[in-house]
Amino acid sequence: MFEFTPTPRVKRSPFYDATVRDGVKSFYPYNNMFLPTGYGDPEKEYWRLINGVSMWDVGVQRQVELFGKDACKLAQILSPRDLSNLEIGQSKYVALCDHRGVIINDPILSKLEENKFWFSIADSKVLFWARAIAYERNLNVNIIEPDVSPMAIQGPKAVDVISSVFGEWVRDLKYFYFKETSLNGIPLLLVRSGWSKQGGYELYLMDGSKGDELWDIIKEAGKPWDIGPGYPNTVERIESGLLSWGGDTDDNTNPYEVRLGKYVDLDVPEDVIGLSELKKINQEGPKRHQLGIVLDTEEKFKSHGVWYDIFVNNEKLGDMTCGIWSNRIKKNIGLCLVSVKLKSGEKVKVNKNGIEYTGTMTELPFI
Ligand code: THG
């Protein structure tokens, strides 16, 4: 049909060759890289994540490193979440906002040392943003994208696989905590995190030449639990209500609209970007909110990749930002960004290019 023209501007993950060997069938672009999105059997890959253990190349989750005297100060200026109690060895989910209070990325922030932080970013250019802010605020901090590439091991049996490789201590590692360690001399960060609600770990590979080796060690160790390749799973994440920045958000979305208000602290220092707008939005109340939708159609949705309009009585009240067939709910479900006028329980029409469905708004998460 067509092919991608090779260019140094699009980088490959250190696990790319391994995913090709394991039969990857599709990708989509993320942070100027390729994110695997399928190995040919979506149902099997889904149930493996729900009941077993799945390994993902998520090297596209690039790190933005802040290092130096003012690293801590800059991390806080960029993050409308209180970081004063963030410990070395701990991570936090943060909604980075611009001066309008609009989310520009939703990374996981990790504190490695008193003066060293990593933002593990979603799909937008935090590196340039952080550098510009550091310069404008006269901060003494070095900002780079280090050679670090996460791989995720997710699912209820992930803990068995990871403890068989690293030792029993990993069972006691708390959610969103990490330890710097190594495996056969491969340096990595072992974090209890991951973009699913099935539990698991992420291994942040700190030497891009060792991707193949790390992939194969985990693949081999996971055999007794029937590990197999997977990817950030759209069905599971919609069921679980995990946000996809850029997928479920637009250029006006603030944290209160997409259920991230609980990660915003309004008592952070005054110089935190977006704070005054966030206070205003919080006081006035957001104009939109994120709800689920259950569609009436029996036709099994695949991921469609475009927003659908949501109507009630011919009035457009928002958008369905993603929708897919849920293997557990056995209905088509979706996430919606809609006017606060529209409430859970209401019936709506969903429309795109003349294709129309009916559905009912619901609370989130689905499961
Ligand atoms: N892991 C790492 N980096 C990432 C992601 C990841 N970068 C990009 C993207 N994912 C960032 N977005 C999210 C969104 C949700 C969560 C993590 C990263 C998440 N949320 C939980 C929830 O909403 O229930 C828990 C948050 C909490 O309670 O602190 O895990 O997956 N390395």
Side-chain angles (χ1 to χ4, degrees), residues 2-15:
F2 61 85
E3 51 190 47
F4 285 108
T5 306
T7 160
R9 291 188 291 110
V10 180
K11 305 270 188 279
R12 300 279 156 98
S13 151
F15 309 111

Side-chain angles (χ1 to χ4, degrees), residues 241-313:
L242 288 174
L243 184 74
S244 173
W245 182 87
D248 303 323
T249 61
D250 60 16
D251 192 30
N252 290 300
T253 309
N254 65 64
Y256 298 106
E257 293 179 319
V258 286
R259 299 176 300 121
L260 300 188
K262 58 177 180 282
Y263 303 116
V264 174
D265 294 315
L266 293 173
D267 52 0
V268 290
E270 284 303 319
D271 57 359
V272 170
I273 297 168
L275 184 62
S276 53
E277 281 307 307
L278 289 166
K279 282 182 177 165
K280 218 182 278 174
I281 298 163
N282 181 53
Q283 202 163 25
E284 291 169 3
K287 296 194 169 45
R288 297 185 292 183
H289 60 171
Q290 196 183 34
L291 291 178
I293 188 168
V294 177
L295 297 165
D296 297 325
T297 174
E298 295 293 313
E299 162 205 347
K300 289 190 182 182
F301 259 39
K302 291 195 176 130
S303 210
H304 47 68
V306 291
W307 287 20
Y308 278 63
D309 298 324
I310 294 187
F311 287 94
V312 176
N313 297 332

Side-chain angles (χ1 to χ4, degrees), residues 30 61 81 93 106-108 120-122 150 175-176 193-195 197 202 204 242-243 263:
Y30 194 108
Q61 297 169 353
R81 182 172 183 180
Y93 182 37
D106 67 332
I108 292 178
S120 183
I121 61 170
Y175 187 53
F176 270 52
S193 58
W195 205 57
K197 283 291 187 184
E202 291 181 295
Y204 290 34
L242 288 174
L243 184 74
Y263 303 116

